[in-house]
Amino acid sequence: EPEVTQTPSHQVTQMGQEVILRCVPISNHLYFYWYRQILGQKVEFLVSFYNNEISEKSEIFDDQFSVERPDGSNFTLKIRSTKLEDSAMYFCASRDYGYTFGSGTRLTVV
Amino acid sequence: TQLLEQSPQFLSIQEGENLTVYCNSSSVFSSLQWYRQEPGEGPVLLVTVVTGGEVKKLKRLTFQFGDARKDSSLHITAAQPGDTGLYLCAGVGLGAGNNRKLIWGLGTSLAVNP
């Protein structure tokens, strides 16, 4: 069964450092997403991406965040200057009719 | 702001018991999805309900969408230890358009004891 692949599974970074979270969505899906889940809180929408551009973003997705689909297969989330409160599980998802989520990247900012 | 409230937050039952998890909102959703999430993994889609009053069955799991499309329930019959996990509801709000971003409940952590 097709799956969404995320790397790395865990990332520890120092506050202020840049991180790039990587995702390989399902190849024939058209919509791509990043969600995050802070421990003990609800899953939150960050951004959706369609036709090589951001189609919607949340208030969380400020200027420190960016997304790219550089080569037609990878889909990346970059956080330019990480803060402690960015510590969370970050999930990539792609969609045709239904969503398929990756296993997530656990980001810990210290 | 559209919110989904899920209850109960925690549930611990004995094998063989039945249970129901609820997902409620004051807002109307165009569709509602139920996911199961294992520790360290991403959510896995169980079902999508779209029509008010719709009932879908997945083996021992029964999903219902409220007539007004503001609430949903997940009923598990004769729970087994393998049903243990986190169950999440997520809705697509009206006006979400083609993006269909998901609004999530907090989840129900279910433990089924042998």
Side-chain angles (χ1 to χ4, degrees), chain B residues 20-71:
Chain B
T20 303
V21 177
Y22 299 93
C23 188
N24 297 301
S25 178
S26 58
S27 305
V28 177
F29 287 88
S30 61
S31 67
L32 205 135
Q33 302 171 16
W34 285 92
Y35 291 82
R36 179 172 164 174
Q37 185 179 19
E38 302 297 336
E41 297 292 325
V44 175
L45 180 65
L46 296 174
V47 79
T48 300
V49 285
V50 179
T51 307
E54 183 175 5
V55 177
K56 283 192 174 178
K57 294 195 174 190
L58 191 65
K59 296 183 182 177
R60 292 175 293 99
L61 277 61
T62 301
F63 305 86
Q64 185 162 10
F65 202 12
D67 291 340
R69 291 186 292 147
K70 293 182 179 181
D71 54 83

Short mmCIF file of all heavy atoms in Angstrom, two decimals, chain B residues 20-71:
data_model
loop_
_atom_site.label_atom_id
_atom_site.label_comp_id
_atom_site.label_asym_id
_atom_site.label_seq_id
_atom_site.Cartn_x
_atom_site.Cartn_y
_atom_site.Cartn_z
N THR B 20 -18.56 3.54 23.56
CA THR B 20 -18.89 4.57 22.57
C THR B 20 -18.05 5.80 22.85
O THR B 20 -17.91 6.22 23.99
CB THR B 20 -20.38 4.94 22.61
OG1 THR B 20 -21.16 3.75 22.39
CG2 THR B 20 -20.70 5.96 21.52
N VAL B 21 -17.49 6.35 21.80
CA VAL B 21 -16.71 7.59 21.85
C VAL B 21 -17.49 8.65 21.08
O VAL B 21 -18.05 8.36 20.01
CB VAL B 21 -15.31 7.40 21.23
CG1 VAL B 21 -14.55 8.71 21.21
CG2 VAL B 21 -14.54 6.33 21.99
N TYR B 22 -17.52 9.86 21.63
CA TYR B 22 -18.33 10.92 21.04
C TYR B 22 -17.45 12.07 20.55
O TYR B 22 -16.43 12.39 21.15
CB TYR B 22 -19.32 11.44 22.07
CG TYR B 22 -20.28 10.39 22.56
CD1 TYR B 22 -20.01 9.65 23.71
CD2 TYR B 22 -21.46 10.11 21.86
CE1 TYR B 22 -20.87 8.67 24.15
CE2 TYR B 22 -22.33 9.12 22.29
CZ TYR B 22 -22.02 8.41 23.44
OH TYR B 22 -22.89 7.42 23.87
N CYS B 23 -17.93 12.68 19.50
CA CYS B 23 -17.24 13.83 18.92
C CYS B 23 -18.33 14.86 18.63
O CYS B 23 -19.23 14.60 17.83
CB CYS B 23 -16.54 13.38 17.63
SG CYS B 23 -15.47 14.58 16.90
N ASN B 24 -18.26 16.01 19.31
CA ASN B 24 -19.34 16.98 19.24
C ASN B 24 -18.86 18.37 18.88
O ASN B 24 -17.73 18.76 19.22
CB ASN B 24 -20.06 17.06 20.60
CG ASN B 24 -20.72 15.77 20.97
OD1 ASN B 24 -21.58 15.26 20.26
ND2 ASN B 24 -20.31 15.19 22.08
N SER B 25 -19.72 19.11 18.21
CA SER B 25 -19.40 20.48 17.85
C SER B 25 -20.69 21.29 17.77
O SER B 25 -21.77 20.74 17.60
CB SER B 25 -18.68 20.51 16.50
OG SER B 25 -18.40 21.84 16.12
N SER B 26 -20.54 22.59 17.87
CA SER B 26 -21.67 23.48 17.62
C SER B 26 -21.71 23.89 16.15
O SER B 26 -22.65 24.56 15.71
CB SER B 26 -21.58 24.72 18.51
OG SER B 26 -20.37 25.40 18.27
N SER B 27 -20.69 23.47 15.40
CA SER B 27 -20.58 23.84 13.99
C SER B 27 -20.94 22.66 13.11
O SER B 27 -20.80 21.50 13.51
CB SER B 27 -19.15 24.27 13.67
OG SER B 27 -18.72 25.31 14.50
N VAL B 28 -21.35 22.96 11.91
CA VAL B 28 -21.65 21.94 10.92
C VAL B 28 -20.38 21.60 10.14
O VAL B 28 -19.61 22.50 9.80
CB VAL B 28 -22.75 22.42 9.94
CG1 VAL B 28 -23.01 21.38 8.86
CG2 VAL B 28 -24.02 22.76 10.71
N PHE B 29 -20.18 20.33 9.90
CA PHE B 29 -19.02 19.89 9.12
C PHE B 29 -19.49 19.25 7.82
O PHE B 29 -20.52 18.58 7.78
CB PHE B 29 -18.18 18.90 9.94
CG PHE B 29 -17.42 19.56 11.04
CD1 PHE B 29 -17.99 19.74 12.29
CD2 PHE B 29 -16.14 20.03 10.83
CE1 PHE B 29 -17.29 20.38 13.30
CE2 PHE B 29 -15.44 20.66 11.84
CZ PHE B 29 -16.01 20.83 13.08
N SER B 30 -18.72 19.43 6.78
CA SER B 30 -19.07 18.80 5.51
C SER B 30 -18.75 17.31 5.53
O SER B 30 -19.40 16.54 4.83
CB SER B 30 -18.36 19.49 4.35
OG SER B 30 -16.97 19.40 4.50
N SER B 31 -17.78 16.93 6.32
CA SER B 31 -17.49 15.52 6.51
C SER B 31 -16.73 15.36 7.82
O SER B 31 -16.18 16.33 8.35
CB SER B 31 -16.67 14.92 5.36
OG SER B 31 -15.38 15.48 5.34
N LEU B 32 -16.72 14.14 8.31
CA LEU B 32 -16.00 13.88 9.54
C LEU B 32 -15.25 12.56 9.40
O LEU B 32 -15.79 11.61 8.80
CB LEU B 32 -16.96 13.83 10.73
CG LEU B 32 -16.29 14.15 12.06
CD1 LEU B 32 -17.13 15.11 12.86
CD2 LEU B 32 -16.01 12.89 12.82
N GLN B 33 -14.06 12.54 9.90
CA GLN B 33 -13.22 11.35 9.77
C GLN B 33 -12.82 10.84 11.15
O GLN B 33 -12.69 11.62 12.09
CB GLN B 33 -11.96 11.69 8.96
CG GLN B 33 -12.29 12.23 7.58
CD GLN B 33 -11.09 12.78 6.86
OE1 GLN B 33 -9.95 12.51 7.22
NE2 GLN B 33 -11.33 13.53 5.81
N TRP B 34 -12.64 9.54 11.22
CA TRP B 34 -12.12 8.92 12.44
C TRP B 34 -10.78 8.28 12.11
O TRP B 34 -10.64 7.60 11.08
CB TRP B 34 -13.08 7.87 12.98
CG TRP B 34 -14.28 8.46 13.64
CD1 TRP B 34 -15.48 8.76 13.07
CD2 TRP B 34 -14.40 8.82 15.02
NE1 TRP B 34 -16.34 9.29 14.00
CE2 TRP B 34 -15.70 9.34 15.21
CE3 TRP B 34 -13.56 8.75 16.12
CZ2 TRP B 34 -16.17 9.79 16.44
CZ3 TRP B 34 -14.01 9.19 17.35
CH2 TRP B 34 -15.31 9.70 17.50
N TYR B 35 -9.83 8.51 13.00
CA TYR B 35 -8.49 7.98 12.86
C TYR B 35 -8.12 7.18 14.10
O TYR B 35 -8.63 7.41 15.19
CB TYR B 35 -7.46 9.12 12.70
CG TYR B 35 -7.55 9.88 11.41
CD1 TYR B 35 -8.47 10.92 11.23
CD2 TYR B 35 -6.70 9.57 10.35
CE1 TYR B 35 -8.54 11.62 10.05
CE2 TYR B 35 -6.75 10.28 9.16
CZ TYR B 35 -7.67 11.29 9.02
OH TYR B 35 -7.74 11.98 7.84
N ARG B 36 -7.16 6.29 13.89
CA ARG B 36 -6.54 5.60 15.01
C ARG B 36 -5.04 5.90 14.94
O ARG B 36 -4.44 5.86 13.87
CB ARG B 36 -6.79 4.10 14.93
CG ARG B 36 -6.14 3.33 16.05
CD ARG B 36 -6.57 1.91 16.01
NE ARG B 36 -5.69 1.08 16.82
CZ ARG B 36 -5.89 -0.19 17.07
NH1 ARG B 36 -6.93 -0.81 16.55
NH2 ARG B 36 -5.04 -0.87 17.82
N GLN B 37 -4.47 6.21 16.10
CA GLN B 37 -3.06 6.56 16.14
C GLN B 37 -2.35 5.70 17.18
O GLN B 37 -2.77 5.65 18.34
CB GLN B 37 -2.87 8.05 16.47
CG GLN B 37 -1.44 8.52 16.41
CD GLN B 37 -1.30 10.00 16.72
OE1 GLN B 37 -2.20 10.61 17.31
NE2 GLN B 37 -0.18 10.60 16.33
N GLU B 38 -1.29 5.05 16.75
CA GLU B 38 -0.45 4.28 17.67
C GLU B 38 0.69 5.17 18.14
O GLU B 38 1.08 6.11 17.43
CB GLU B 38 0.09 3.04 16.97
CG GLU B 38 -0.97 2.11 16.42
CD GLU B 38 -1.85 1.52 17.50
OE1 GLU B 38 -1.40 1.42 18.66
OE2 GLU B 38 -2.99 1.14 17.19
N PRO B 39 1.27 4.88 19.30
CA PRO B 39 2.39 5.70 19.81
C PRO B 39 3.52 5.78 18.78
O PRO B 39 3.93 4.76 18.22
CB PRO B 39 2.83 4.94 21.07
CG PRO B 39 1.61 4.20 21.52
CD PRO B 39 0.88 3.82 20.27
N GLY B 40 4.00 6.99 18.53
CA GLY B 40 5.12 7.17 17.61
C GLY B 40 4.76 7.04 16.14
O GLY B 40 5.65 7.03 15.29
N GLU B 41 3.48 6.94 15.85
CA GLU B 41 3.05 6.80 14.45
C GLU B 41 2.08 7.93 14.10
O GLU B 41 1.58 8.64 14.97
CB GLU B 41 2.33 5.46 14.25
CG GLU B 41 3.22 4.25 14.50
CD GLU B 41 4.30 4.11 13.45
OE1 GLU B 41 4.03 4.44 12.27
OE2 GLU B 41 5.42 3.69 13.81
N GLY B 42 1.83 8.06 12.81
CA GLY B 42 0.86 9.03 12.37
C GLY B 42 -0.56 8.48 12.44
O GLY B 42 -0.76 7.27 12.53
N PRO B 43 -1.55 9.35 12.38
CA PRO B 43 -2.94 8.89 12.38
C PRO B 43 -3.25 8.06 11.13
O PRO B 43 -2.78 8.39 10.04
CB PRO B 43 -3.75 10.19 12.36
CG PRO B 43 -2.80 11.26 12.78
CD PRO B 43 -1.46 10.83 12.34
N VAL B 44 -4.02 7.01 11.31
CA VAL B 44 -4.43 6.15 10.20
C VAL B 44 -5.94 6.27 10.04
O VAL B 44 -6.69 6.06 11.00
CB VAL B 44 -4.02 4.68 10.46
CG1 VAL B 44 -4.57 3.78 9.35
CG2 VAL B 44 -2.51 4.55 10.55
N LEU B 45 -6.37 6.62 8.85
CA LEU B 45 -7.79 6.84 8.58
C LEU B 45 -8.57 5.54 8.72
O LEU B 45 -8.21 4.52 8.12
CB LEU B 45 -7.97 7.40 7.18
CG LEU B 45 -9.40 7.69 6.73
CD1 LEU B 45 -10.02 8.81 7.56
CD2 LEU B 45 -9.42 8.08 5.24
N LEU B 46 -9.63 5.59 9.52
CA LEU B 46 -10.54 4.45 9.66
C LEU B 46 -11.75 4.61 8.74
O LEU B 46 -12.11 3.68 8.02
CB LEU B 46 -11.02 4.32 11.11
CG LEU B 46 -9.96 4.02 12.17
CD1 LEU B 46 -10.57 4.08 13.56
CD2 LEU B 46 -9.32 2.68 11.92
N VAL B 47 -12.35 5.79 8.78
CA VAL B 47 -13.58 5.98 8.02
C VAL B 47 -13.84 7.47 7.81
O VAL B 47 -13.35 8.30 8.59
CB VAL B 47 -14.78 5.34 8.77
CG1 VAL B 47 -15.25 6.24 9.90
CG2 VAL B 47 -15.93 5.01 7.83
N THR B 48 -14.56 7.78 6.75
CA THR B 48 -15.06 9.13 6.51
C THR B 48 -16.58 9.05 6.40
O THR B 48 -17.11 8.19 5.67
CB THR B 48 -14.50 9.70 5.20
OG1 THR B 48 -13.07 9.74 5.28
CG2 THR B 48 -15.02 11.11 4.96
N VAL B 49 -17.27 9.91 7.13
CA VAL B 49 -18.73 10.01 7.00
C VAL B 49 -19.06 11.37 6.43
O VAL B 49 -18.43 12.38 6.80
CB VAL B 49 -19.46 9.75 8.34
CG1 VAL B 49 -19.44 8.26 8.66
CG2 VAL B 49 -18.85 10.55 9.48
N VAL B 50 -20.02 11.38 5.53
CA VAL B 50 -20.29 12.58 4.76
C VAL B 50 -21.74 13.04 4.87
O VAL B 50 -22.02 14.24 4.93
CB VAL B 50 -19.94 12.34 3.27
CG1 VAL B 50 -20.23 13.56 2.44
CG2 VAL B 50 -18.48 11.94 3.12
N THR B 51 -22.64 12.10 4.90
CA THR B 51 -24.07 12.42 4.86
C THR B 51 -24.66 12.41 6.26
O THR B 51 -24.38 11.50 7.05
CB THR B 51 -24.81 11.40 3.98
OG1 THR B 51 -24.17 11.33 2.72
CG2 THR B 51 -26.27 11.79 3.81
N GLY B 52 -25.49 13.40 6.59
CA GLY B 52 -26.14 13.42 7.88
C GLY B 52 -26.94 12.15 8.12
O GLY B 52 -27.67 11.72 7.24
N GLY B 53 -26.74 11.54 9.29
CA GLY B 53 -27.43 10.30 9.61
C GLY B 53 -26.72 9.05 9.11
O GLY B 53 -27.16 7.93 9.38
N GLU B 54 -25.64 9.24 8.41
CA GLU B 54 -24.92 8.10 7.83
C GLU B 54 -24.35 7.18 8.90
O GLU B 54 -23.86 7.64 9.93
CB GLU B 54 -23.79 8.62 6.94
CG GLU B 54 -23.01 7.54 6.22
CD GLU B 54 -21.97 8.14 5.26
OE1 GLU B 54 -21.80 9.37 5.24
OE2 GLU B 54 -21.33 7.36 4.55
N VAL B 55 -24.43 5.91 8.65
CA VAL B 55 -23.85 4.90 9.54
C VAL B 55 -22.92 4.03 8.69
O VAL B 55 -23.31 3.55 7.63
CB VAL B 55 -24.93 4.02 10.19
CG1 VAL B 55 -24.28 2.92 11.04
CG2 VAL B 55 -25.86 4.86 11.06
N LYS B 56 -21.70 3.85 9.18
CA LYS B 56 -20.75 2.96 8.50
C LYS B 56 -20.22 1.95 9.50
O LYS B 56 -19.98 2.28 10.66
CB LYS B 56 -19.58 3.76 7.89
CG LYS B 56 -19.94 4.47 6.61
CD LYS B 56 -18.70 5.00 5.91
CE LYS B 56 -19.05 5.59 4.56
NZ LYS B 56 -17.87 6.15 3.87
N LYS B 57 -20.03 0.75 9.01
CA LYS B 57 -19.50 -0.31 9.87
C LYS B 57 -18.19 -0.82 9.33
O LYS B 57 -18.02 -1.00 8.12
CB LYS B 57 -20.51 -1.46 9.98
CG LYS B 57 -21.78 -1.08 10.69
CD LYS B 57 -22.60 -2.30 11.12
CE LYS B 57 -23.78 -1.85 11.95
NZ LYS B 57 -24.49 -2.95 12.59
N LEU B 58 -17.28 -1.07 10.27
CA LEU B 58 -15.97 -1.62 9.94
C LEU B 58 -15.74 -2.73 10.96
O LEU B 58 -15.27 -2.48 12.06
CB LEU B 58 -14.91 -0.53 10.05
CG LEU B 58 -13.51 -0.78 9.51
CD1 LEU B 58 -13.55 -0.94 8.01
CD2 LEU B 58 -12.60 0.39 9.88
N LYS B 59 -16.14 -3.93 10.59
CA LYS B 59 -16.07 -5.09 11.51
C LYS B 59 -16.82 -4.76 12.79
O LYS B 59 -18.04 -4.57 12.78
CB LYS B 59 -14.62 -5.47 11.78
CG LYS B 59 -13.88 -5.94 10.52
CD LYS B 59 -12.46 -6.39 10.83
CE LYS B 59 -11.76 -6.81 9.55
NZ LYS B 59 -10.35 -7.19 9.77
N ARG B 60 -16.15 -4.67 13.92
CA ARG B 60 -16.85 -4.42 15.19
C ARG B 60 -17.00 -2.92 15.50
O ARG B 60 -17.51 -2.56 16.56
CB ARG B 60 -16.07 -5.09 16.32
CG ARG B 60 -16.09 -6.63 16.28
CD ARG B 60 -15.21 -7.24 17.37
NE ARG B 60 -13.80 -6.95 17.13
CZ ARG B 60 -13.13 -5.98 17.74
NH1 ARG B 60 -13.72 -5.22 18.64
NH2 ARG B 60 -11.87 -5.78 17.46
N LEU B 61 -16.57 -2.07 14.57
CA LEU B 61 -16.64 -0.63 14.78
C LEU B 61 -17.82 -0.07 13.98
O LEU B 61 -17.95 -0.38 12.79
CB LEU B 61 -15.34 0.03 14.32
CG LEU B 61 -14.16 0.05 15.28
CD1 LEU B 61 -13.69 -1.34 15.67
CD2 LEU B 61 -13.02 0.86 14.69
N THR B 62 -18.65 0.73 14.63
CA THR B 62 -19.77 1.39 13.97
C THR B 62 -19.62 2.89 14.13
O THR B 62 -19.44 3.39 15.24
CB THR B 62 -21.11 0.94 14.56
OG1 THR B 62 -21.23 -0.48 14.43
CG2 THR B 62 -22.27 1.62 13.83
N PHE B 63 -19.65 3.59 13.03
CA PHE B 63 -19.49 5.04 13.00
C PHE B 63 -20.79 5.66 12.56
O PHE B 63 -21.43 5.20 11.62
CB PHE B 63 -18.38 5.44 12.02
CG PHE B 63 -17.07 4.77 12.27
CD1 PHE B 63 -16.79 3.52 11.75
CD2 PHE B 63 -16.11 5.40 13.04
CE1 PHE B 63 -15.58 2.90 11.97
CE2 PHE B 63 -14.88 4.79 13.26
CZ PHE B 63 -14.62 3.54 12.73
N GLN B 64 -21.16 6.75 13.25
CA GLN B 64 -22.40 7.43 12.88
C GLN B 64 -22.14 8.93 12.79
O GLN B 64 -21.41 9.50 13.60
CB GLN B 64 -23.48 7.14 13.93
CG GLN B 64 -24.84 7.70 13.58
CD GLN B 64 -25.96 7.05 14.36
OE1 GLN B 64 -25.72 6.30 15.30
NE2 GLN B 64 -27.18 7.32 13.97
N PHE B 65 -22.73 9.55 11.81
CA PHE B 65 -22.68 10.99 11.63
C PHE B 65 -24.05 11.52 12.01
O PHE B 65 -25.07 11.00 11.55
CB PHE B 65 -22.36 11.32 10.18
CG PHE B 65 -21.77 12.69 9.93
CD1 PHE B 65 -21.31 13.50 10.96
CD2 PHE B 65 -21.66 13.16 8.63
CE1 PHE B 65 -20.76 14.74 10.71
CE2 PHE B 65 -21.09 14.40 8.36
CZ PHE B 65 -20.65 15.19 9.40
N GLY B 66 -24.11 12.55 12.85
CA GLY B 66 -25.37 13.08 13.29
C GLY B 66 -26.18 13.66 12.15
O GLY B 66 -25.63 14.09 11.12
N ASP B 67 -27.48 13.69 12.34
CA ASP B 67 -28.37 14.20 11.28
C ASP B 67 -28.00 15.62 10.87
O ASP B 67 -28.10 15.97 9.68
CB ASP B 67 -29.83 14.18 11.77
CG ASP B 67 -30.37 12.77 11.93
OD1 ASP B 67 -29.79 11.84 11.33
OD2 ASP B 67 -31.37 12.59 12.65
N ALA B 68 -27.60 16.44 11.83
CA ALA B 68 -27.27 17.83 11.56
C ALA B 68 -25.81 18.02 11.17
O ALA B 68 -25.36 19.14 10.96
CB ALA B 68 -27.60 18.70 12.77
N ARG B 69 -25.08 16.93 11.11
CA ARG B 69 -23.64 16.94 10.75
C ARG B 69 -22.81 17.80 11.70
O ARG B 69 -21.85 18.46 11.30
CB ARG B 69 -23.43 17.38 9.29
CG ARG B 69 -23.96 16.36 8.29
CD ARG B 69 -23.62 16.72 6.88
NE ARG B 69 -24.34 17.91 6.46
CZ ARG B 69 -23.87 18.80 5.61
NH1 ARG B 69 -22.67 18.67 5.09
NH2 ARG B 69 -24.60 19.84 5.27
N LYS B 70 -23.22 17.77 12.99
CA LYS B 70 -22.45 18.48 14.00
C LYS B 70 -21.76 17.53 14.97
O LYS B 70 -20.97 17.95 15.80
CB LYS B 70 -23.36 19.41 14.82
CG LYS B 70 -23.94 20.56 14.05
CD LYS B 70 -24.79 21.42 14.97
CE LYS B 70 -25.37 22.62 14.23
NZ LYS B 70 -26.19 23.46 15.15
N ASP B 71 -22.10 16.26 14.90
CA ASP B 71 -21.55 15.32 15.85
C ASP B 71 -21.41 13.94 15.22
O ASP B 71 -22.02 13.64 14.19
CB ASP B 71 -22.43 15.24 17.11
CG ASP B 71 -23.86 14.93 16.76
OD1 ASP B 71 -24.18 13.74 16.57
OD2 ASP B 71 -24.66 15.88 16.66
#
